[in-house]
Amino acid sequence: EVQLVQSGAEVKKPGESLKISCKASGYNFNDINYWIGWVRQMPGKGLEWMGIVYPGDSDTRYSPSFQGQVTVSADKSISTAYLHWRSLKASDTAIYYCARGYGLATIDYCGQGTLVTVSS
Amino acid sequence: QTVVTQEPSLTVSPGGTVTLTCASSTGAVTYANYPNWFQQKPGQAPRALIYSTSNRHSWTPGRISGSLLGGKAALTLSGVQPEDEADYYCLLSYGVAHWVFGGGTKLTVL
């Protein structure tokens, strides 16, 4: 059974750094055909695509709105993808979801979400 | 900046049929945009329903289907049930690893 299990909720102050995780199981995380995407959902708003990491070769791609704002990465040895901020802002307060993609066309499983609250 | 547009809200009666659409600011949506559709209920993570225009996941009910319609991606729900009340999002590809979500449609079953 494919599962994406995300790390728990975080409360941070503006300017702090943060890395949240998404641990995959039930499939070959290292297979070059699979990738992990990250999605933001701000309070009461819709879904926004942030970026992708290909664990097989660590290639990353970002949506223009998120380029330079976050870093996506993956650790093949523990089948885990990450989303990292160097300096959080209050506007980063949101739920973040990871999602599994396959090839060019398919997104199938989502993690349960991680709530990030940034407040002074 | 590419914009993907969905109906903000739709209402359907139980047992009825409703079609949600997804338009692209760049022109007609095609198979090469690999439309994916997601359902999200309050307090829950999104759940994938359709990939690559019209392919159902193993868990997607047969009464939910995807297509291209008049230059847009479309999601049709037939025999609508109360549990179909949710937000629905389309996701379009604009090249390798470049995806954009629509703004979502709030579907009310009334």
Side-chain angles (χ1 to χ4, degrees), chain A:
Chain A
E1 179 197 5
V2 173
Q3 284 194 308
L4 299 176
V5 178
Q6 298 185 232
S7 49
E10 302 274 1
V11 179
K12 292 290 197 179
K13 290 182 166 40
E16 292 186 330
S17 65
L18 175 64
K19 183 184 273 192
I20 63 174
S21 66
C22 170
K23 181 164 177 61
S25 62
Y27 73 100
N28 183 1
F29 189 74
N30 300 336
D31 186 321
I32 59 170
N33 292 300
Y34 289 110
W35 44 270
I36 296 289
W38 287 94
V39 176
R40 182 175 78 176
Q41 188 166 41
M42 298 176 77
K45 302 297 185 185
L47 305 176
E48 299 174 89
W49 192 265
M50 301 176 70
I52 282 171
V53 58
Y54 294 85
D57 62 3
S58 296
D59 187 21
T60 57
R61 308 288 175 95
Y62 296 91
S63 291
S65 301
F66 293 94
Q67 180 81 46
Q69 308 304 308
V70 295
T71 303
V72 298
S73 62
D75 185 335
K76 290 191 293 189
S77 67
I78 55 173
S79 300
T80 300
Y82 300 97
L83 179 62
H84 175 240
W85 293 261
R86 269 194 243 178
S87 179
L88 286 160
K89 303 186 280 282
S91 57
D92 292 317
T93 295
I95 299 174
Y96 294 87
Y97 296 100
C98 62
R100 186 184 82 158
Y102 179 84
L104 292 175
T106 307
I107 298 151
D108 48 14
Y109 293 92
C110 294
Q112 84 276 18
T114 295
L115 173 62
V116 174
T117 303
V118 184
S119 173
S120 54

Side-chain angles (χ1 to χ4, degrees), chain A residues 41 47 65 104-107, chain B residues 1 36 40 51 57 91 99 101:
Chain A
Q41 188 166 41
L47 305 176
S65 301
L104 292 175
T106 307
I107 298 151
Chain B
Q1 190 90 338
N36 279 250
Q40 187 181 35
Y51 65 96
H57 293 286
L91 179 65
W99 295 89
F101 274 109

Side-chain angles (χ1 to χ4, degrees), chain B residues 47-90:
Chain B
R47 182 174 76 129
L49 295 176
I50 297 286
Y51 65 96
S52 196
T53 305
S54 58
N55 296 280
R56 296 184 189 89
H57 293 286
S58 58
W59 52 82
T60 304
R63 57 189 181 75
I64 295 177
S65 62
S67 63
L68 295 181
L69 200 62
K72 300 179 184 179
L75 182 74
T76 299
L77 288 73
S78 306
V80 169
Q81 301 176 5
E83 58 263 32
D84 295 329
E85 186 162 290
D87 294 327
Y88 291 83
Y89 295 91
C90 66

